[in-house]
Amino acid sequence: MYSNLKKKVMKNKLVLASIVILIILVIISILAFASPYDPNAIDVANKLKSPSLKHPFGTDDMGRDYFTRALYGGRVSLMVGFSSMIISTILGTLIGTISGYFGGWIDTFIMRTIDVLMSIPSFFIILTLNVYLKPGVGTIIVIIALFSWMGVARIIRGETLSVKEREYVVCAVSQGIRSRKIIFNHIIPNVMPSVIVAATINVANSILMESSLSFLGLGIQAPNASWGSMLQNAQGYILDMPYLAVFPGLLILMTVLSFNVIGDFMRDVTHPRKVR
């Protein structure tokens, strides 16, 4: 299976490029501490310098090295994306599996609850909660995760309805095996391809959500940086110093696009379309 997947990845240049881009972004974000500049150190004498060999991304209005801030901002954005994805995927997988496996009033109650939650504009609720809660990375991760699991739950619930009718599950039920063991030993492992697809898309959505919150000033607080907050600070200089918006904007675009490309690829691999 893995060798077949590797061959398909190597043949798909767009997916391969997306994986390489994400690996590079993750590595340079982790190694951000190796930069000779302090991301929060103010140097007014060097403010708004254009990109150069000394400052590859130039400097911002406080004279801070923009490349270093982009690295640390990437660390925050990626951490929020991955952490929110892990929480929302686990929550959505468990709830979706329980809903699909047990059915009946449990399924009805869970699905109607999800319908209600999905009908509410989650972004505005996140904005409201973020105003009243203590700002910080942990708060953003929890808030985004709590409003991102519903789509995963719906997907996994549909997969569970199919898997639970298969012979090995019916046989396990007839032998009196506990539902918990059936769910964790048979259902979840067989819906894992769908979980992976949902997870990759969730990462992209979480990064976009964090960037939107930070852009509105409700995410990562100064002096710390994220790609969204860097875009917010660039608004006042968009005509004179466009690079202040271009660099973080490109990083967000490449990251989100790469995750979406990988998600589409995984969906096509795990659920190939039938050509008639």
Side-chain angles (χ1 to χ4, degrees):
M1 176 182 177
Y2 293 106
S3 60
N4 188 34
L5 179 62
K6 183 179 179 181
K7 289 179 181 179
K8 291 183 178 180
V9 169
M10 297 305 293
K11 288 181 180 179
N12 194 321
K13 302 302 180 183
L14 185 59
V15 174
L16 186 60
S18 299
I19 294 173
V20 171
I21 288 172
L22 290 178
I23 291 174
I24 292 174
L25 288 174
V26 170
I27 291 175
I28 63 175
S29 296
I30 293 174
L31 298 177
F33 63 87
S35 173
Y37 299 101
D38 185 333
N40 299 325
I42 297 175
D43 184 7
V44 181
N46 288 313
K47 68 176 183 179
L48 298 176
K49 295 288 185 180
S50 299
S52 62
L53 291 177
K54 187 177 181 181
H55 301 286
F57 285 8
T59 60
D60 64 5
D61 56 331
M62 296 290 185
R64 298 170 294 195
D65 183 67
Y66 216 53
F67 180 69
T68 303
R69 286 184 66 77
L71 295 181
Y72 279 91
R75 181 183 290 185
V76 171
S77 297
L78 290 171
M79 182 174 66
V80 170
F82 280 110
S83 300
S84 301
M85 175 272 292
I86 291 171
I87 297 173
S88 61
T89 301
I90 292 175
L91 192 60
T93 300
L94 291 175
I95 293 176
T97 304
I98 291 171
S99 177
Y101 179 77
F102 289 104
W105 69 269
I106 295 177
D107 182 36
T108 301
F109 173 76
I110 292 177
M111 295 313 297
R112 296 296 77 77
T113 301
I114 290 176
D115 289 340
V116 171
L117 292 174
M118 293 187 74
S119 67
I120 303 172
S122 59
F123 185 72
F124 295 106
I125 298 178
I126 291 174
L127 285 177
T128 304
L129 289 176
N130 204 52
V131 169
Y132 290 100
L133 296 177
K134 183 179 178 180
V137 176
T139 301
I140 294 175
I141 290 172
V142 171
I143 290 177
I144 293 177
L146 289 178
F147 289 93
S148 303
W149 61 269
M150 289 86 74
V152 179
R154 290 177 69 93
I155 294 172
I156 302 307
R157 181 248 183 189
E159 292 292 319
T160 302
L161 290 174
S162 174
V163 172
K164 77 172 186 178
E165 300 298 331
R166 296 177 184 172
E167 291 80 0
Y168 53 85
V169 176
V170 175
C171 181
V173 172
S174 65
Q175 291 177 357
I177 298 176
R178 292 182 178 181
S179 298
R180 183 177 62 182
K181 284 190 174 182
I182 295 175
I183 289 174
F184 284 99
N185 294 341
H186 298 293
I187 303 294
I188 291 181
N190 283 281
V191 301
M192 194 54 64
S194 297
V195 172
I196 294 173
V197 173
T200 55
I201 296 174
N202 248 3
V203 174
N205 292 337
S206 297
I207 291 175
L208 277 178
M209 190 74 72
E210 182 278 324
S211 298
S212 301
L213 289 172
S214 296
F215 180 78
L216 294 173
L218 298 173
I220 304 303
Q221 301 298 306
N224 297 319
S226 77
W227 292 335
S229 65
M230 292 174 71
L231 281 176
Q232 181 200 36
N233 294 334
Q235 289 182 92
Y237 307 94
I238 192 67
L239 295 178
D240 300 323
M241 303 291 177
Y243 67 86
L244 293 176
V246 169
F247 290 125
L250 281 176
L251 289 171
I252 293 173
L253 175 64
M254 288 191 299
T255 305
V256 173
L257 186 60
S258 295
F259 276 116
N260 284 333
V261 167
I262 294 172
D264 289 341
F265 171 75
M266 294 301 298
R267 181 189 60 201
D268 293 338
V269 169
T270 56
H271 300 88
R273 298 183 179 90
K274 295 181 179 179
V275 180
R276 295 182 180 180

